[in-house]
Amino acid sequence: MQLVLISGLSGSGKSIALNVLEDVGYYCIDNLPANLLEESIQFLASHGYQQVAISVDARSGDSCQHLPALVQKLRQQLNFRLLFLESKTETLVRRFSETRRRHPLSDEHHALPEAIAMERDLLDPIAQLAHRIDTSDLSANTLRSWIRDMIALEGAQLTLLFASFGFKHGIPLDADLVFDVRCLPNPHYDPVLRPQTGRDRDVISFLENIPEVREMLSDIEQYVRKWLPCFMRDNRAYLTVAIGCTGGQHRSVYMTERLAAQFSADVQTLVRHRELM
């Protein structure tokens, strides 16, 4: 059986992720109580279900505390992935205000930001074991695309995910390693290059001819190559390497594309450009 377990904060996009999986042929269960998870998996496996996706979140209450141990057990038994969706608190507050839905942990004693903080604490042990996806700045269509890309990859080995971002929009919550390339010359100050991105030929030519750019690219590559085996031994499914510049348009995009190309022959890679959506 191929099993995808989806968890995360309320309002972060779990329903969207589950719908994507259903569209590609997974048998999906939403809001399954955590204490029924193992029994349900055994039942589905015994009845021949080959691709299953299950959403478990804070609505399970105290039974969530048993999930980390079960996750470790499932990793030994199945082709298993754990995805955890999260967003910044201000983004979640805005989404709940727009939809006028009630947060599952809010009541007369806890305002919405307090309920979100309680949910983070409750689910943190699960988040620490999962591949985390920060949906704060993602459209629904972009999230759907990212989920499809992840599911399309073989699950038996680590996937190295290179992501560009702009520091002025905040560091991605799901980054495992963060590299700051704001010290490099900025194409933004060239009027010809400003409207382009790090994927355009003129910007690529500008950056690849700067010695400091080549040196930093080499340093980041060597660092990741040195420590990648350690992350693999930690039985991770994904490692997210985030490269940040000021606006996330030029330097970080160029570096992300180059790093992904250099690692693609050795390990499964994905590329994300958060600010180019």
Side-chain angles (χ1 to χ4, degrees):
M1 176 190 287
Q2 293 179 332
L3 174 64
V4 179
L5 186 61
I6 298 174
S7 189
L9 303 180
S10 302
S12 62
K14 298 189 302 296
S15 296
I16 292 175
L18 205 63
N19 288 338
V20 170
L21 291 166
E22 187 172 35
D23 289 343
V24 298
Y26 278 72
Y27 180 81
C28 296
I29 303 175
D30 188 17
N31 188 24
L32 182 71
N35 55 356
L36 297 179
L37 182 59
E38 188 168 17
E39 178 184 347
S40 300
I41 293 170
Q42 291 172 353
F43 174 85
L44 293 168
S46 67
H47 285 73
Y49 289 88
Q50 295 299 309
Q51 294 181 311
V52 176
I54 300 175
S55 173
V56 179
D57 54 42
R59 290 171 289 183
S60 292
D62 292 339
S63 64
C64 284
Q65 64 184 314
H66 303 298
L67 268 178
L70 180 56
V71 164
Q72 301 290 11
K73 183 177 179 181
L74 291 173
R75 282 184 169 148
Q76 304 301 319
Q77 299 174 342
L78 302 170
N79 183 345
F80 173 74
R81 299 186 190 190
L82 174 59
L83 303 181
F84 188 91
L85 278 62
E86 57 189 329
S87 292
K88 299 172 185 174
T89 297
E90 55 267 31
T91 301
L92 296 173
V93 169
R94 186 185 71 248
R95 289 174 182 172
F96 274 99
S97 298
E98 290 172 350
T99 61
R100 302 185 181 225
R101 295 182 61 200
R102 177 183 173 276
H103 190 281
L105 299 185
S106 65
D107 54 31
E108 63 271 17
H109 303 297
H110 299 96
L112 180 55
E114 295 174 312
I116 293 170
M118 291 167 54
E119 187 177 31
R120 282 192 199 279
D121 290 341
L122 177 65
L123 297 177
D124 184 65
I126 305 168
Q128 297 303 321
L129 299 173
H131 174 61
R132 300 163 71 166
I133 303 176
D134 179 3
T135 69
S136 303
D137 303 299
L138 300 187
S139 67
N141 283 336
T142 300
L143 177 58
R144 292 187 188 100
S145 177
W146 285 14
I147 296 295
R148 289 191 196 99
D149 289 343
M150 289 177 179
I151 299 305
L153 293 173
E154 294 294 331
Q157 57 181 302
L158 179 141
T159 296
L160 192 54
L161 198 159
F162 290 99
S164 70
F165 71 95
F167 274 96
K168 71 178 182 179
H169 302 296
I171 297 174
L173 297 176
D174 52 2
D176 296 304
L177 300 174
V178 177
F179 294 95
D180 184 350
V181 300
R182 286 176 293 183
C183 62
L184 300 176
N186 192 352
H188 173 81
Y189 296 111
D190 185 323
V192 175
L193 301 180
R194 184 176 303 166
Q196 302 183 45
T197 76
R199 292 187 293 191
D200 292 316
R201 184 67 254 170
D202 291 343
V203 175
I204 292 171
S205 296
F206 172 85
L207 290 171
E208 68 184 6
N209 287 316
I210 299 173
E212 292 91 339
V213 173
R214 297 196 299 269
E215 185 176 359
M216 181 170 283
L217 183 67
S218 176
D219 287 347
I220 295 174
E221 179 187 1
Q222 290 178 36
Y223 182 90
V224 175
R225 286 196 186 279
K226 177 179 179 180
W227 292 104
L228 186 58
C230 183
F231 287 106
M232 288 179 167
R233 289 194 299 270
D234 195 37
N235 294 318
R236 289 175 177 242
Y238 298 91
L239 177 68
T240 300
V241 180
I243 313 294
C245 61
T246 304
Q249 301 292 318
H250 301 101
R251 294 164 292 180
S252 62
V253 172
Y254 167 81
M255 300 287 274
T256 295
E257 292 282 346
R258 287 293 303 275
L259 286 164
Q262 290 169 356
F263 279 90
S264 61
D266 307 314
V267 64
Q268 289 186 150
T269 60
L270 285 175
V271 175
R272 293 179 184 167
H273 299 297
R274 190 181 72 179
E275 320 304 352
L276 298 189
M277 298 178 295

